[in-house]
Amino acid sequence: FLSALCLLLALAPQGARAEDAVAKDPRVEEAIQKGVGYLLQSYAGKNALSTRPEKELVLYALLCGGVKPDHPLFQEVLPAIATEAPTTIYNVSIGLMLMHHLDPAQYRLEIARGASFLVQNQSSSGLWDYHGATVPLRSDYEAYERKAPCLVYEVGSWTKGEPRPGVEPSHRLVAKKLKGFKIPPQEKARNGIGDTSNTQYALLGLRAAAESGCLIPEQTWAKALAAMKRCQKKDGGVTYGKAGAGINPDGNFAMTVAGIASIAICEFYLKRDAREDPLFKNAVSFVGKEFKLSKATSSNKEARHSIDYYTLYGLERAGTFCQLKKFGDHDWYSEGVQWLLERPRPDGSWMDPEAGVWGGGKVRINISSQINTAFALLFLKRSTVPLIPENKRKEGQRYDIEELAE
């Protein structure tokens, strides 16, 4: 693949982006389509996705991969996601991303409930843990209408202008004013330390809720940002838990890319520029210096910089949120594509032979080929919506996610 990639870059027109050349490689689209097909086949028949703990992640990856919401798998699983009582941070957060992508107006009460669950279950440290106390589905939230348009997915046809050729509906956005709800501030701080992995997903979920019209309490963003600062080491690396708390005390690659995205989200909703934050700059510098897309084993001295599919999707979010084409000298998207195209299995899936367990406590999920494939698809599709300042949004304006990420 590497020689073919170099040829594509050499033949690209003057001034063309490297990632454009990579994205046009037919093997990228072929890998995406095979991955989507593998996920759909995995849950056919008796293998009901509606009972699986990874259902939110898989549906979100399929949606970003171009599967339409009227597919039977969505019709089977969505009711379970919308009606389940929220209990785990990962599932609720990805569920919010999914509902924002589908229709924030249709799911606005469910989105408000999920956002309330995350706000109420932020730990006293400012981070989030695996689990939380559920909150009721209620209809008496205080109504709120955002003054600035929200960024929402437009799954229908364009009404004015034309999209870039080849852009699927799942990659179209429109700036639109939405009526949402004010999310009540935290009533009582939850005891616990939390970790930076659950925290990055909680913030992704809250970001989806904010773009669905909800008003998230400012102190939620501020507490999370302060916590991330406490989790950073002198070398810029971010730890899994609070520095000095005895939890994975060394900074590592996966949690540092998670930290970059978390910092960017918090600073954005606090109406500040993350690029001016020393924490952000140090974390970006750490990733640039330690960037190596190779899987390290637990016995490998480079284990703290190991890469897996979970981490690769985190890299996509960090690069996109911060509009970074490179970390150090590394074109993260081109190198990530190369890494992925070297690893698919014949059936279109991705699987790490050293995969461990995702989750904690009672929610412990063996990392499956379905989970890894979902993460791989989210990376290849450049699925993350960049952070666009509210003063640059114009109601009715349409966007292509990949163009925003340039």
Side-chain angles (χ1 to χ4, degrees):
F1 172 77
L2 183 57
S3 59
L5 176 62
C6 292
L7 178 61
L8 277 169
L9 296 180
L11 295 177
Q14 187 88 19
R17 296 186 305 139
E19 54 266 40
D20 281 338
V22 173
K24 291 176 182 177
D25 183 342
R27 285 170 294 183
V28 174
E29 184 58 30
E30 180 183 358
I32 291 170
Q33 294 306 315
K34 288 186 70 175
V36 166
Y38 171 78
L39 289 180
L40 291 174
Q41 182 62 35
S42 293
Y43 301 102
K46 296 181 179 180
N47 299 319
L49 179 59
S50 59
T51 62
R52 296 292 304 161
E54 71 271 16
K55 57 183 176 293
E56 291 89 353
L57 175 65
V58 169
L59 276 199
Y60 184 61
L62 288 172
L63 194 61
C64 292
V67 178
K68 295 181 179 180
D70 59 3
H71 189 280
L73 188 63
F74 281 78
Q75 301 306 307
E76 171 197 338
V77 180
L78 279 174
I81 293 175
T83 58
E84 276 184 354
T87 57
T88 59
I89 301 301
Y90 283 123
N91 294 78
V92 171
S93 300
I94 301 173
L96 287 170
M97 295 161 68
L98 174 65
M99 289 185 283
H100 169 250
H101 195 148
L102 285 166
D103 189 339
Q106 177 183 346
Y107 293 104
R108 64 182 191 148
L109 281 174
E110 291 82 1
I111 289 172
R113 182 192 198 184
S116 294
F117 169 82
L118 294 176
V119 169
Q120 294 302 321
N121 286 288
Q122 188 176 24
S123 74
S124 55
S125 71
L127 302 175
W128 279 265
D129 208 336
Y130 286 99
H131 309 280
T134 190
V135 297
L137 180 62
R138 46 189 277 196
S139 58
D140 60 342
Y141 292 102
E142 184 179 350
Y144 174 76
E145 183 172 1
R146 298 188 70 88
K147 294 180 180 179
C150 298
L151 290 180
V152 296
Y153 293 86
E154 185 177 54
V155 295
S157 60
W158 292 65
T159 55
K160 62 179 181 179
E162 290 297 327
R164 183 163 60 84
V167 176
E168 310 93 332
S170 61
H171 265 59
R172 298 172 185 169
L173 299 170
V174 62
K176 183 178 180 181
K177 287 191 176 181
L178 293 177
K179 292 182 179 179
F181 299 101
K182 287 186 178 181
I183 304 303
Q186 189 175 42
E187 296 175 2
K188 182 180 179 181
R190 178 180 170 86
N191 292 331
I193 297 174
D195 63 74
T196 48
S197 178
N198 277 283
T199 296
Q200 70 167 327
Y201 276 90
L203 292 171
L204 288 168
L206 289 172
R207 187 270 173 119
E211 292 299 340
S212 298
C214 291
L215 179 65
I216 308 300
E218 184 175 304
Q219 58 263 43
T220 302
W221 307 116
K223 282 178 62 178
L225 182 61
M228 295 305 301
K229 291 183 178 182
R230 293 194 297 272
C231 291
Q232 189 177 38
K233 304 289 284 186
K234 291 182 179 180
D235 63 0
V238 175
T239 69
Y240 177 73
K242 178 182 175 183
I247 303 176
N248 290 22
D250 291 330
N252 66 72
F253 191 93
M255 290 302 97
T256 306
V257 296
I260 291 170
S262 297
I263 297 162
I265 292 172
C266 292
E267 294 281 24
F268 180 84
Y269 288 103
L270 291 170
K271 303 188 185 305
R272 301 198 295 250
D273 188 345
R275 292 170 294 185
E276 301 301 320
D277 189 328
L279 172 63
F280 172 85
K281 294 178 181 178
N282 292 341
V284 169
S285 176
F286 177 91
V287 171
K289 289 184 293 185
E290 305 294 345
F291 196 103
K292 180 182 288 187
L293 299 188
S294 61
K295 177 63 182 176
T297 65
S298 58
S299 60
N300 192 314
K301 292 182 180 179
E302 298 176 345
R304 75 179 188 135
H305 312 307
S306 65
I307 189 73
D308 53 22
Y309 301 95
Y310 160 93
T311 306
L312 202 61
Y313 176 41
L315 189 65
E316 185 269 342
R317 296 194 304 272
T320 302
F321 277 149
C322 306
Q323 295 183 304
L324 295 171
K325 295 180 180 179
K326 292 184 177 182
F327 286 99
D329 295 327
H330 298 275
D331 183 325
W332 59 267
Y333 183 69
S334 297
E335 292 187 34
V337 167
Q338 175 189 333
W339 191 88
L340 284 172
L341 292 189
E342 291 172 350
R343 288 165 171 78
R345 299 196 294 185
D347 61 3
S349 68
W350 281 269
M351 184 60 190
D352 178 0
E354 297 179 10
V357 174
W358 187 36
K362 295 181 180 178
V363 181
R364 296 178 66 79
I365 307 168
N366 289 326
I367 301 298
S368 64
S369 55
Q370 289 84 4
I371 290 174
N372 282 327
T373 301
F375 285 137
L377 291 175
L378 291 170
F379 179 91
L380 290 174
K381 290 298 295 185
R382 299 292 298 269
S383 57
T384 299
V385 178
L387 297 165
I388 301 177
E390 292 184 348
N391 60 4
K392 293 185 179 181
R393 303 180 188 183
K394 182 179 179 182
E395 188 172 9
Q397 186 171 355
R398 287 170 167 78
Y399 306 89
D400 163 10
I401 292 178
E402 290 187 5
E403 289 182 349
L404 288 174
E406 292 181 3

